[in-house]
Amino acid sequence: FTSCRSFSNSSILPSWFFSKDKEKSAGHSSLISKDQSVYEIVTEKVIPSQWENYLKQKHDLIQCAQSKSDFKAEHTASWGVVTGDSVFTAIHLYRYDGWKEIDSTRACINQDDQYKDLFRKGLPLITNQHIELTKAFTFWPSPDRRPGDNVYDIRSYSLKPGSMYDWSNYWARGIKHRSAVRKDVPYAGLFTQLGKLHTIYHIWCYKSLADRKQCREGTWSHPEWNDVVANTVPLVKSMNTKIVEPLPFSPTNWTEC
């Protein structure tokens, strides 16, 4: 399995990747986001005894949505929590081409009896559903299909208001050091647009927990990595990490034929 990843290939990164002057005249989302795509993160707390029923019902619901041309949500990933958060928690990632596609999909859902019936059948299986809409950082790769024998580290950071630009500039360097260890380690970098604002999600892909430890330690061999860490830690109010694994129907559980 090979994964195509794209990064900035400039050999010398400027001291500020994003212009500080532009920060004063435009919203950060338009300056630091990759494109017009919007990513929806759906987190669902599942009743433990209903986990297997939930997996079947959720798969059916996603297949129903994918069969309808007017539904513009692209199923990108689905994971189950292993550690770091409540077990029997599922996290789903969907991509829309833009805000208009979110609006049109919502309108279609409200008029589609088949989808609404399947959705209602799943409600008794969960205790909570949380939805956030995010954009992708321009210096991160886009989420792609992956083989199923991986674990993912979802690291969330709550930033101090006003620090998003500085964070982005330092991490535009940091992502190069982490990807130098192995190019397929970065999976997605997202920041919230609707939900808990000033929140960052870094999603890393590893072959195992032991591989995670080795890759993280390997990053410290790059002298500038210490500078990235030293300058971004003061920007963070709180942080959390959770280890997740692909659900059976996830595009991150791809099997090469």
Side-chain angles (χ1 to χ4, degrees):
F1 177 84
T2 57
S3 175
C4 296
R5 318 297 278 164
S6 59
F7 298 91
S8 172
N9 53 18
S10 173
S11 59
I12 301 177
L13 195 65
S15 58
W16 288 107
F17 191 76
F18 301 100
S19 168
K20 298 291 285 184
D21 292 333
K22 289 184 178 180
E23 180 185 11
K24 301 174 183 178
S25 60
H28 68 256
S29 63
S30 63
L31 295 175
I32 65 177
S33 60
K34 179 182 292 291
D35 51 31
Q36 296 301 312
S37 298
V38 180
Y39 290 87
E40 181 182 47
I41 303 174
V42 180
T43 303
E44 294 177 325
K45 305 290 186 181
V46 182
I47 298 172
S49 62
Q50 296 296 325
W51 180 252
E52 294 301 325
N53 292 331
Y54 168 82
L55 294 181
K56 182 181 184 306
Q57 190 278 334
K58 179 58 66 171
H59 187 203
D60 291 344
L61 185 67
I62 290 174
Q63 284 188 318
C64 175
Q66 291 178 328
S67 69
K68 300 178 184 298
S69 60
D70 292 335
F71 283 34
K72 303 302 183 181
E74 176 189 346
H75 180 217
T76 305
S78 288
W79 299 288
V81 170
V82 176
T83 187
D85 198 352
S86 302
V87 294
F88 302 106
T89 297
I91 301 170
H92 307 282
L93 184 65
Y94 304 90
R95 189 190 72 83
Y96 296 84
D97 286 340
W99 296 102
K100 290 182 179 179
E101 285 70 24
I102 294 177
D103 289 335
S104 64
T105 299
R106 289 181 64 250
C108 291
I109 286 174
N110 290 333
Q111 299 174 9
D112 193 291
D113 291 336
Q114 181 191 18
Y115 184 90
K116 289 193 294 184
D117 182 58
L118 273 174
F119 179 82
R120 284 192 292 265
K121 288 180 179 179
L123 293 179
L125 308 179
I126 63 176
T127 60
N128 179 267
Q129 183 188 75
H130 179 71
I131 298 175
E132 290 181 300
L133 294 177
T134 68
K135 299 275 285 181
F137 284 109
T138 186
F139 48 87
W140 275 75
S142 298
D144 60 357
R145 296 172 69 192
R146 297 292 183 95
D149 55 345
N150 290 312
V151 297
Y152 292 78
D153 183 356
I154 301 180
R155 304 178 72 84
S156 59
Y157 304 86
S158 177
L159 301 187
K160 297 174 182 177
S163 61
M164 181 72 73
Y165 230 69
D166 287 347
W167 175 275
S168 301
N169 273 305
Y170 284 113
W171 265 101
R173 308 175 190 181
I175 193 71
K176 294 169 70 71
H177 302 315
R178 184 60 61 84
S179 63
V181 176
R182 198 172 63 239
K183 287 185 182 258
D184 63 349
V185 169
Y187 177 78
L190 309 169
F191 60 96
T192 52
Q193 293 283 277
L194 290 174
K196 188 177 180 181
L197 297 180
H198 312 294
T199 299
I200 306 295
Y201 293 100
H202 288 180
I203 307 177
W204 308 96
C205 177
Y206 301 104
K207 297 176 181 179
S208 64
L209 293 180
D211 179 58
R212 172 183 178 269
K213 180 177 184 295
Q214 183 178 1
C215 289
R216 287 175 58 80
E217 290 178 348
T219 311
W220 288 97
S221 65
H222 299 268
E224 289 188 8
W225 177 249
N226 182 68
D227 182 62
V228 172
V229 173
N231 284 283
T232 54
V233 167
L235 308 179
V236 177
K237 294 196 300 181
S238 63
M239 61 183 294
N240 180 267
T241 184
K242 59 176 69 72
I243 299 298
V244 300
E245 61 185 2
L247 297 181
F249 50 84
S250 175
T252 53
N253 198 7
W254 182 81
T255 301
E256 187 174 12
C257 298

